[in-house]
Amino acid sequence: MFIADYVRLVQDTDRFELGEISPILLGLFGEVGGVMAAAKKHRREGKAFVGYRRAVEEEFGDALWYYTAFCRRLGVPAHEPLLAAASRSSYVTAVAAAQEPAGALAQVAVPVSSDSLDDILLKLGSAAADLLRAAPGGSETVARLTDFADAFLRSLNAAGISFADIASANMRKVRGRFLPLVISDLPQFDDAFGEEERLPGEFEIELRKRAGGKSVLVMNGIVIGDPLTDNIADRDGYRFHDVFHFAHAAVLHWSPTFRALLKRKRKSDPIMDETQDSGRAIVVEEGLSAFVFSHAKTLDLFEGQSSISFDLLKTVRQFVDGYEVEACPMKLWEDAILQGYDVFRHVRRNEGGIVRGDRTRRKLEFRTLGAV
């Protein structure tokens, strides 16, 4: 990935004003701290910290985002301090044949150092602190940008992490989180299968309360699934949690739980059936729904919220790692969760209702029982 391409592709995700410097620098310093914290856990816990590499890659990617945002505010093309750092005598350079554009040569610069990862990371932290102390726009700032770029490249090298990988992954993450969704570009998961193996394009399900407080699901006049209670002393309405699966189906086009209820597993493809529609996938979705619900209860079930914290969305993404739905951008997950909880709140207040899903519009809607 060309640095100029990365900068261009993430520019629209920068929601800060161009005159805002402090939030960018504080964000950069925080992400560098995240890299150092992940490295510390790796040293302390070794193989027990299985998320080390992913955590470090993500923190490096976020640090790159803030670094290029800072360069943008100074009017400095981000590739210039990176190139200046790579031109120092402590780098070994080589010429490589590039794939694009046609006939191109690329100069590859690799830092050479005998320092340990810990020492390199301390230098990265020091370079970040120097940027905090520099007067924005002063001549020393450009020099400190180069020093930070040098420490950043050395840290990547010491950690054995690809610069291209962290740039590409960060670009996909921030664009998927902050840019408006284009429905035609969103992933589809079962269009290649026959209708009997596809989630329905539209569906209506009645949630009714029976004597004893149990809720049942009725679709096309037929009860599906088992009657449910809250299964907790605090009557929090979780017996209506199937609404979240309906939101997943309508908005994400994914729900192994709903697919199993409707007996629409993709059995014509044994691998798909085993890896995406199996009991394990169902457990993942159920666990994810319960986890998000425990978080939502502390936030009044997202009442009045138009967004969800980045940290929660990152955890959601980790939950579904390895399943087809990981292709869905964070913004789509946010829409699915907020729509699901909007309908859930209506269902809970009314002790039931009718839930309508429309996969074409990626919408979930509610109306009261008996309403036309």
Side-chain angles (χ1 to χ4, degrees), residues 2 7 19 35 73 76 82-83 92-93 96 101 111 117 123 130 148 154 202 215 218 221 224 265 291 295 342:
F2 290 105
V7 172
V35 172
R73 281 156 176 77
V76 176
L82 286 164
L83 182 60
V92 173
T93 60
L117 175 60
K123 291 178 181 178
D130 286 343
F148 180 88
R154 290 177 179 279
E202 296 182 5
S215 68
V218 180
I224 59 175
K265 293 186 176 184
F291 169 77
H295 180 84
D342 181 56

Side-chain angles (χ1 to χ4, degrees), residues 304-357:
Q305 291 189 215
S306 59
S307 64
I308 292 174
S309 75
F310 208 167
D311 287 340
L312 177 61
L313 292 173
K314 288 193 289 187
T315 302
V316 167
R317 188 183 63 182
Q318 291 171 357
F319 248 96
V320 299
D321 185 34
Y323 293 94
E324 58 189 350
V325 73
E326 69 178 350
C328 289
M330 285 187 181
K331 178 63 176 173
L332 190 63
W333 269 105
E334 182 179 60
D335 282 0
I337 292 171
L338 290 177
Q339 287 191 51
Y341 274 86
D342 181 56
V343 170
F344 177 83
R345 292 192 301 269
H346 282 91
V347 170
R348 194 173 73 154
R349 291 188 192 115
N350 289 274
E351 290 293 320
I354 299 174
V355 177
R356 183 177 186 276

Side-chain angles (χ1 to χ4, degrees), residues 47-250:
K47 293 183 179 179
F49 184 31
V50 295
Y52 160 70
R53 186 174 184 86
R54 169 172 290 187
V56 173
E57 287 178 346
E58 187 158 358
E59 300 291 357
F60 268 123
D62 291 341
L64 177 64
W65 188 95
Y66 279 106
Y67 179 74
T68 58
F70 184 46
C71 289
R72 185 180 304 117
R73 281 156 176 77
L74 299 180
V76 176
H79 69 272
E80 290 185 359
L82 286 164
L83 182 60
S87 299
R88 292 178 172 177
S89 60
S90 53
Y91 285 72
V92 173
T93 60
V95 175
Q99 290 183 322
E100 295 180 358
L105 288 176
Q107 180 175 297
V108 180
V110 180
V112 177
S113 174
S114 58
D115 291 339
S116 67
L117 175 60
D118 285 355
D119 290 338
I120 292 293
L121 290 175
L122 287 172
K123 291 178 181 178
L124 179 64
S126 177
D130 286 343
L131 284 176
L132 283 176
R133 290 191 291 266
S139 58
E140 65 175 1
T141 304
V142 176
R144 291 183 179 185
L145 282 173
T146 301
D147 289 341
F148 180 88
D150 180 36
F152 186 82
L153 294 173
R154 290 177 179 279
S155 298
L156 287 172
N157 179 257
I161 292 174
S162 161
F163 194 175
D165 285 349
I166 65 118
S168 297
N170 181 260
M171 179 271 294
R172 289 192 299 269
K173 183 183 81 170
V174 297
R175 287 180 63 85
R177 172 65 183 93
F178 295 111
L179 296 188
L181 296 170
V182 178
I183 289 182
S184 60
D185 293 340
L186 297 175
Q188 309 277 354
F189 299 121
D190 58 8
D191 283 5
F193 293 83
E195 183 176 355
E196 70 281 359
E197 294 185 327
R198 293 202 303 263
L199 291 169
E202 296 182 5
F203 55 85
E204 279 196 358
I205 298 177
E206 296 179 13
L207 290 89
R208 294 185 176 274
K209 182 180 177 181
R210 284 184 173 176
K214 292 185 177 182
S215 68
V216 294
L217 308 176
V218 180
M219 183 175 181
N220 299 326
I222 300 173
V223 174
I224 59 175
D226 299 320
L228 297 176
T229 65
D230 288 341
N231 289 321
I232 194 172
D234 171 21
R235 299 304 182 188
D236 54 12
Y238 198 68
R239 62 188 179 279
F240 299 123
H241 82 278
D242 283 304
V243 167
F244 307 139
H245 304 313
F246 306 153
H248 295 164

Side-chain angles (χ1 to χ4, degrees), residues 35-46 49 52 118 121:
V35 172
M36 298 172 76
K40 177 197 70 177
K41 291 178 183 178
H42 177 60
R43 283 289 299 272
R44 184 185 68 209
E45 302 177 22
F49 184 31
Y52 160 70
D118 285 355
L121 290 175

